Amino acid sequence: MAEQPQDGTRAFPHTPVLLERVVALLGRGIDAVAAAGHTPVVADLTLGMGGHSEAVLAANPQVRVIGIDRDQQALAVATERLARFGERFTPVHARADELPRALDELGVRSLAGALFDLGVSSLQLDEDERGFSYSRPAPLDMRMDQSRGTTAAQILNTYSEDALARIIADYGEERYARKIARIIVADRAERPWETSDQLAGMLSRVIPEPPARGRQRARSHPAKRTFQALRIEVNGELDSLAAALPAALDALAIGGVAVIESYQSLEDTAVKRILRAGTEAQAPPDLPVVPAHLRPWLAEAVRGAQKASAAEVEANPRAASVRLRAVVKTAPNPREETP
């Protein structure tokens, strides 16, 4: 169901995942920074249509939100949605890994909170011309920022068979990656890859049906993994996350909170690895005294990963795969203080 903004301008067809939990977790960081006498600033590094940011702004009258997104269409929608908050909301057209530059240009020295809602947004999935969905015909674009970068069609029509197989295997975790890559290269000699239904149709033909026994749930679409792999490659998503999340953690004030929502295993694995470097001592386990620069400087705000409830998944199927992780900054990053 579409959300209706409080100013009555228009409905926004987007349901933020784990909304109340995200607002509560970020509220911890906002309260900590406000108690220290500073104006709390939250960076929403995957702004999308602004659903999470709207709730954070509404729940915390003292907070300022910096909304970062590489998708200009999403940025425009969110800016309209959040216009009622005036100067408390600042939109920034940038990649998440450009956070340090954005904060420097805005004169922001530290953050009370940082939010990552990873993956493809509802707007990108629902806009046919973007090419993210395999369920409807569209040009094979998949760029989150349509002002720059290589499209999925260009990748399919120019990458070598080995490169395509690696991408589909690594980013899509697709067991038939080599077979798919071979067919992509063979077929493009006859007809260039241009549309999402063209690719989805091929994948439906060449990927075998799973065995009937032991099926616990309906099989996913055979195009799902390859489309995911292409989207990640087009947008450099894992590379961006590997730079953006550490930068956001470094920018947190003491007491600040980072919340990360992942929707597939590659993202969640990368998030766990980055957070573990801050929540666990980096010294050998048998070391009698842990040096200061190897001690933890983050603490889990959520034990492990939180999933959406059955009721939320029923109301919003896109919440089914979410894994929410959150940490609070308890000390400066010792890496930055080491001579």
Side-chain angles (χ1 to χ4, degrees), residues 278-299:
T279 57
E280 298 179 0
Q282 300 303 298
D286 57 348
L287 200 66
V289 178
V290 178
H293 69 281
L294 297 178
R295 294 172 187 167
W297 53 283
L298 301 171

Side-chain angles (χ1 to χ4, degrees), residues 132 134 142 164-177 180 199-200 203 207 217 219-233 264-266:
F132 286 96
Y134 40 78
M142 297 193 191
L164 288 168
R166 176 186 57 79
I167 290 165
I168 297 168
D170 291 352
Y171 295 162
E173 300 176 291
E174 172 58 74
R175 64 182 296 190
Y176 299 104
I180 292 167
L199 178 61
L203 294 166
I207 296 179
R217 55 187 176 185
R219 63 171 295 206
S220 62
H221 194 287
K224 179 179 180 179
R225 295 181 182 275
T226 299
F227 270 64
Q228 172 184 295
L230 286 171
R231 191 201 79 220
I232 291 173
E233 173 69 10
Q264 43 100 341
S265 62
L266 294 175

Side-chain angles (χ1 to χ4, degrees), residues 100-258:
R101 175 184 62 79
L103 295 182
D104 184 61
E105 291 178 354
L106 294 170
V108 175
R109 299 185 62 183
S110 64
L111 298 172
L115 172 63
F116 292 82
D117 187 14
L118 300 173
V120 64
S121 74
S122 298
L123 177 65
Q124 291 157 348
L125 281 173
D126 294 340
E127 293 288 332
D128 289 350
E129 67 271 14
R130 304 297 294 273
F132 286 96
S133 175
Y134 40 78
S135 62
R136 300 180 298 275
L140 277 166
D141 191 318
M142 297 193 191
R143 291 173 299 168
M144 293 179 179
D145 182 351
Q146 292 189 297
S147 69
R148 57 181 173 176
T150 302
T151 67
Q154 289 171 320
I155 288 172
L156 292 171
N157 290 317
T158 62
Y159 278 29
S160 68
E161 180 181 321
D162 286 344
L164 288 168
R166 176 186 57 79
I167 290 165
I168 297 168
D170 291 352
Y171 295 162
E173 300 176 291
E174 172 58 74
R175 64 182 296 190
Y176 299 104
R178 175 59 65 177
K179 178 181 181 181
I180 292 167
R182 185 167 59 249
I183 294 172
I184 288 171
V185 171
D187 284 6
R188 76 191 187 194
E190 301 294 329
R191 178 190 173 192
W193 294 99
E194 297 175 339
T195 63
S196 57
D197 58 325
Q198 179 188 1
L199 178 61
M202 180 273 285
L203 294 166
S204 295
R205 292 192 300 272
V206 305
I207 296 179
E209 287 275 351
R213 62 182 178 83
R215 283 193 201 174
Q216 300 295 318
R217 55 187 176 185
R219 63 171 295 206
S220 62
H221 194 287
K224 179 179 180 179
R225 295 181 182 275
T226 299
F227 270 64
Q228 172 184 295
L230 286 171
R231 191 201 79 220
I232 291 173
E233 173 69 10
V234 165
N235 297 289
E237 292 178 38
L238 294 179
D239 290 340
S240 178
L241 176 62
L245 181 51
L249 296 172
D250 287 346
L252 288 177
I254 304 303
V257 174

